[in-house]
mmCIF file with all atom_site columns, all heavy atoms in Angstrom:
data_model
loop_
_atom_site.group_PDB
_atom_site.id
_atom_site.type_symbol
_atom_site.label_atom_id
_atom_site.label_alt_id
_atom_site.label_comp_id
_atom_site.label_asym_id
_atom_site.label_entity_id
_atom_site.label_seq_id
_atom_site.pdbx_PDB_ins_code
_atom_site.Cartn_x
_atom_site.Cartn_y
_atom_site.Cartn_z
_atom_site.occupancy
_atom_site.B_iso_or_equiv
_atom_site.pdbx_formal_charge
_atom_site.auth_seq_id
_atom_site.auth_comp_id
_atom_site.auth_asym_id
_atom_site.auth_atom_id
_atom_site.pdbx_PDB_model_num
ATOM 1   N N   . ASP A 1 339 ? -22.792 4.598  5.290  1.00 0.00 ? 406 ASP A N   1
ATOM 2   C CA  . ASP A 1 339 ? -23.804 5.373  5.864  1.00 0.00 ? 406 ASP A CA  1
ATOM 3   C C   . ASP A 1 339 ? -24.698 4.661  6.883  1.00 0.00 ? 406 ASP A C   1
ATOM 4   O O   . ASP A 1 339 ? -25.229 5.290  7.787  1.00 0.00 ? 406 ASP A O   1
ATOM 5   C CB  . ASP A 1 339 ? -24.805 5.918  4.657  1.00 0.00 ? 406 ASP A CB  1
ATOM 6   C CG  . ASP A 1 339 ? -23.989 6.990  3.799  1.00 0.00 ? 406 ASP A CG  1
ATOM 7   O OD1 . ASP A 1 339 ? -23.026 7.490  4.326  1.00 0.00 ? 406 ASP A OD1 1
ATOM 8   O OD2 . ASP A 1 339 ? -24.435 7.165  2.687  1.00 0.00 ? 406 ASP A OD2 1
ATOM 9   N N   . ALA A 1 340 ? -24.817 3.389  6.767  1.00 0.00 ? 407 ALA A N   1
ATOM 10  C CA  . ALA A 1 340 ? -25.596 2.593  7.740  1.00 0.00 ? 407 ALA A CA  1
ATOM 11  C C   . ALA A 1 340 ? -24.861 2.676  9.109  1.00 0.00 ? 407 ALA A C   1
ATOM 12  O O   . ALA A 1 340 ? -25.584 2.732  10.084 1.00 0.00 ? 407 ALA A O   1
ATOM 13  C CB  . ALA A 1 340 ? -25.752 1.149  7.286  1.00 0.00 ? 407 ALA A CB  1
ATOM 14  N N   . LEU A 1 341 ? -23.469 2.729  9.060  1.00 0.00 ? 408 LEU A N   1
ATOM 15  C CA  . LEU A 1 341 ? -22.683 2.903  10.365 1.00 0.00 ? 408 LEU A CA  1
ATOM 16  C C   . LEU A 1 341 ? -22.998 4.267  10.941 1.00 0.00 ? 408 LEU A C   1
ATOM 17  O O   . LEU A 1 341 ? -23.103 4.439  12.165 1.00 0.00 ? 408 LEU A O   1
ATOM 18  C CB  . LEU A 1 341 ? -21.274 2.622  10.071 1.00 0.00 ? 408 LEU A CB  1
ATOM 19  C CG  . LEU A 1 341 ? -20.871 1.223  9.713  1.00 0.00 ? 408 LEU A CG  1
ATOM 20  C CD1 . LEU A 1 341 ? -19.403 1.214  9.267  1.00 0.00 ? 408 LEU A CD1 1
ATOM 21  C CD2 . LEU A 1 341 ? -21.080 0.260  10.929 1.00 0.00 ? 408 LEU A CD2 1
ATOM 22  N N   . THR A 1 342 ? -23.123 5.295  10.091 1.00 0.00 ? 409 THR A N   1
ATOM 23  C CA  . THR A 1 342 ? -23.317 6.645  10.470 1.00 0.00 ? 409 THR A CA  1
ATOM 24  C C   . THR A 1 342 ? -24.658 6.718  11.197 1.00 0.00 ? 409 THR A C   1
ATOM 25  O O   . THR A 1 342 ? -24.828 7.296  12.239 1.00 0.00 ? 409 THR A O   1
ATOM 26  C CB  . THR A 1 342 ? -23.164 7.658  9.372  1.00 0.00 ? 409 THR A CB  1
ATOM 27  O OG1 . THR A 1 342 ? -21.909 7.420  8.688  1.00 0.00 ? 409 THR A OG1 1
ATOM 28  C CG2 . THR A 1 342 ? -23.202 9.054  9.804  1.00 0.00 ? 409 THR A CG2 1
ATOM 29  N N   . ILE A 1 343 ? -25.687 6.097  10.468 1.00 0.00 ? 410 ILE A N   1
ATOM 30  C CA  . ILE A 1 343 ? -26.969 6.054  11.082 1.00 0.00 ? 410 ILE A CA  1
ATOM 31  C C   . ILE A 1 343 ? -26.987 5.451  12.402 1.00 0.00 ? 410 ILE A C   1
ATOM 32  O O   . ILE A 1 343 ? -27.571 5.985  13.396 1.00 0.00 ? 410 ILE A O   1
ATOM 33  C CB  . ILE A 1 343 ? -28.003 5.311  10.198 1.00 0.00 ? 410 ILE A CB  1
ATOM 34  C CG1 . ILE A 1 343 ? -28.099 6.008  8.827  1.00 0.00 ? 410 ILE A CG1 1
ATOM 35  C CG2 . ILE A 1 343 ? -29.346 5.152  10.887 1.00 0.00 ? 410 ILE A CG2 1
ATOM 36  C CD1 . ILE A 1 343 ? -28.858 5.262  7.741  1.00 0.00 ? 410 ILE A CD1 1
ATOM 37  N N   . LEU A 1 344 ? -26.233 4.374  12.695 1.00 0.00 ? 411 LEU A N   1
ATOM 38  C CA  . LEU A 1 344 ? -26.104 3.726  13.910 1.00 0.00 ? 411 LEU A CA  1
ATOM 39  C C   . LEU A 1 344 ? -25.501 4.619  14.953 1.00 0.00 ? 411 LEU A C   1
ATOM 40  O O   . LEU A 1 344 ? -25.929 4.597  16.075 1.00 0.00 ? 411 LEU A O   1
ATOM 41  C CB  . LEU A 1 344 ? -25.335 2.402  13.805 1.00 0.00 ? 411 LEU A CB  1
ATOM 42  C CG  . LEU A 1 344 ? -26.003 1.260  13.063 1.00 0.00 ? 411 LEU A CG  1
ATOM 43  C CD1 . LEU A 1 344 ? -24.943 0.085  13.047 1.00 0.00 ? 411 LEU A CD1 1
ATOM 44  C CD2 . LEU A 1 344 ? -27.269 0.787  13.780 1.00 0.00 ? 411 LEU A CD2 1
ATOM 45  N N   . SER A 1 345 ? -24.554 5.298  14.499 1.00 0.00 ? 412 SER A N   1
ATOM 46  C CA  . SER A 1 345 ? -23.828 6.272  15.544 1.00 0.00 ? 412 SER A CA  1
ATOM 47  C C   . SER A 1 345 ? -24.773 7.364  15.916 1.00 0.00 ? 412 SER A C   1
ATOM 48  O O   . SER A 1 345 ? -24.607 7.813  17.078 1.00 0.00 ? 412 SER A O   1
ATOM 49  C CB  . SER A 1 345 ? -22.499 6.699  15.070 1.00 0.00 ? 412 SER A CB  1
ATOM 50  O OG  . SER A 1 345 ? -22.482 7.237  13.804 1.00 0.00 ? 412 SER A OG  1
ATOM 51  N N   . GLU A 1 346 ? -25.634 7.678  15.050 1.00 0.00 ? 413 GLU A N   1
ATOM 52  C CA  . GLU A 1 346 ? -26.616 8.808  15.386 1.00 0.00 ? 413 GLU A CA  1
ATOM 53  C C   . GLU A 1 346 ? -27.814 8.180  16.209 1.00 0.00 ? 413 GLU A C   1
ATOM 54  O O   . GLU A 1 346 ? -28.604 9.059  16.733 1.00 0.00 ? 413 GLU A O   1
ATOM 55  C CB  . GLU A 1 346 ? -27.135 9.597  14.086 1.00 0.00 ? 413 GLU A CB  1
ATOM 56  C CG  . GLU A 1 346 ? -25.858 10.344 13.581 1.00 0.00 ? 413 GLU A CG  1
ATOM 57  C CD  . GLU A 1 346 ? -26.346 11.036 12.136 1.00 0.00 ? 413 GLU A CD  1
ATOM 58  O OE1 . GLU A 1 346 ? -27.349 10.787 11.685 1.00 0.00 ? 413 GLU A OE1 1
ATOM 59  O OE2 . GLU A 1 346 ? -25.363 11.674 11.613 1.00 0.00 ? 413 GLU A OE2 1
ATOM 60  N N   . ASN A 1 347 ? -28.062 6.968  15.971 1.00 0.00 ? 414 ASN A N   1
ATOM 61  C CA  . ASN A 1 347 ? -29.172 6.339  16.684 1.00 0.00 ? 414 ASN A CA  1
ATOM 62  C C   . ASN A 1 347 ? -28.771 5.089  17.517 1.00 0.00 ? 414 ASN A C   1
ATOM 63  O O   . ASN A 1 347 ? -29.014 3.995  17.109 1.00 0.00 ? 414 ASN A O   1
ATOM 64  C CB  . ASN A 1 347 ? -30.229 5.876  15.647 1.00 0.00 ? 414 ASN A CB  1
ATOM 65  C CG  . ASN A 1 347 ? -30.734 7.022  14.767 1.00 0.00 ? 414 ASN A CG  1
ATOM 66  O OD1 . ASN A 1 347 ? -31.734 7.800  15.184 1.00 0.00 ? 414 ASN A OD1 1
ATOM 67  N ND2 . ASN A 1 347 ? -30.054 7.237  13.689 1.00 0.00 ? 414 ASN A ND2 1
ATOM 68  N N   . PRO A 1 348 ? -27.933 5.310  18.564 1.00 0.00 ? 415 PRO A N   1
ATOM 69  C CA  . PRO A 1 348 ? -27.269 4.234  19.225 1.00 0.00 ? 415 PRO A CA  1
ATOM 70  C C   . PRO A 1 348 ? -28.260 3.099  19.757 1.00 0.00 ? 415 PRO A C   1
ATOM 71  O O   . PRO A 1 348 ? -27.848 1.921  19.827 1.00 0.00 ? 415 PRO A O   1
ATOM 72  C CB  . PRO A 1 348 ? -26.644 4.827  20.503 1.00 0.00 ? 415 PRO A CB  1
ATOM 73  C CG  . PRO A 1 348 ? -26.949 6.336  20.435 1.00 0.00 ? 415 PRO A CG  1
ATOM 74  C CD  . PRO A 1 348 ? -27.652 6.639  19.188 1.00 0.00 ? 415 PRO A CD  1
ATOM 75  N N   . ASP A 1 349 ? -29.542 3.558  19.877 1.00 0.00 ? 416 ASP A N   1
ATOM 76  C CA  . ASP A 1 349 ? -30.502 2.415  20.339 1.00 0.00 ? 416 ASP A CA  1
ATOM 77  C C   . ASP A 1 349 ? -30.617 1.246  19.315 1.00 0.00 ? 416 ASP A C   1
ATOM 78  O O   . ASP A 1 349 ? -30.974 0.175  19.609 1.00 0.00 ? 416 ASP A O   1
ATOM 79  C CB  . ASP A 1 349 ? -31.925 3.015  20.534 1.00 0.00 ? 416 ASP A CB  1
ATOM 80  C CG  . ASP A 1 349 ? -31.823 3.773  21.853 1.00 0.00 ? 416 ASP A CG  1
ATOM 81  O OD1 . ASP A 1 349 ? -30.868 3.609  22.664 1.00 0.00 ? 416 ASP A OD1 1
ATOM 82  O OD2 . ASP A 1 349 ? -32.845 4.560  22.103 1.00 0.00 ? 416 ASP A OD2 1
ATOM 83  N N   . LEU A 1 350 ? -30.362 1.658  17.989 1.00 0.00 ? 417 LEU A N   1
ATOM 84  C CA  . LEU A 1 350 ? -30.560 0.641  16.862 1.00 0.00 ? 417 LEU A CA  1
ATOM 85  C C   . LEU A 1 350 ? -29.523 -0.457 17.058 1.00 0.00 ? 417 LEU A C   1
ATOM 86  O O   . LEU A 1 350 ? -29.762 -1.452 16.495 1.00 0.00 ? 417 LEU A O   1
ATOM 87  C CB  . LEU A 1 350 ? -30.439 1.302  15.487 1.00 0.00 ? 417 LEU A CB  1
ATOM 88  C CG  . LEU A 1 350 ? -31.577 2.263  15.136 1.00 0.00 ? 417 LEU A CG  1
ATOM 89  C CD1 . LEU A 1 350 ? -31.342 2.858  13.644 1.00 0.00 ? 417 LEU A CD1 1
ATOM 90  C CD2 . LEU A 1 350 ? -32.856 1.556  15.144 1.00 0.00 ? 417 LEU A CD2 1
ATOM 91  N N   . VAL A 1 351 ? -28.388 -0.098 17.669 1.00 0.00 ? 418 VAL A N   1
ATOM 92  C CA  . VAL A 1 351 ? -27.365 -1.117 17.700 1.00 0.00 ? 418 VAL A CA  1
ATOM 93  C C   . VAL A 1 351 ? -27.771 -2.450 18.313 1.00 0.00 ? 418 VAL A C   1
ATOM 94  O O   . VAL A 1 351 ? -27.381 -3.523 17.892 1.00 0.00 ? 418 VAL A O   1
ATOM 95  C CB  . VAL A 1 351 ? -26.118 -0.506 18.424 1.00 0.00 ? 418 VAL A CB  1
ATOM 96  C CG1 . VAL A 1 351 ? -25.018 -1.594 18.742 1.00 0.00 ? 418 VAL A CG1 1
ATOM 97  C CG2 . VAL A 1 351 ? -25.513 0.666  17.766 1.00 0.00 ? 418 VAL A CG2 1
ATOM 98  N N   . HIS A 1 352 ? -28.638 -2.276 19.258 1.00 0.00 ? 419 HIS A N   1
ATOM 99  C CA  . HIS A 1 352 ? -29.241 -3.501 20.001 1.00 0.00 ? 419 HIS A CA  1
ATOM 100 C C   . HIS A 1 352 ? -30.163 -4.327 19.177 1.00 0.00 ? 419 HIS A C   1
ATOM 101 O O   . HIS A 1 352 ? -30.404 -5.495 19.537 1.00 0.00 ? 419 HIS A O   1
ATOM 102 C CB  . HIS A 1 352 ? -29.814 -3.141 21.330 1.00 0.00 ? 419 HIS A CB  1
ATOM 103 C CG  . HIS A 1 352 ? -28.927 -2.408 22.286 1.00 0.00 ? 419 HIS A CG  1
ATOM 104 N ND1 . HIS A 1 352 ? -28.068 -3.041 23.039 1.00 0.00 ? 419 HIS A ND1 1
ATOM 105 C CD2 . HIS A 1 352 ? -28.670 -1.015 22.402 1.00 0.00 ? 419 HIS A CD2 1
ATOM 106 C CE1 . HIS A 1 352 ? -27.349 -2.274 23.748 1.00 0.00 ? 419 HIS A CE1 1
ATOM 107 N NE2 . HIS A 1 352 ? -27.695 -0.936 23.294 1.00 0.00 ? 419 HIS A NE2 1
#
Side-chain angles (χ1 to χ4, degrees):
D406 289 340
L408 293 170
T409 307
I410 297 170
L411 287 178
S412 49
E413 288 171 0
N414 302 272
D416 287 348
L417 288 183
V418 172
H419 299 277

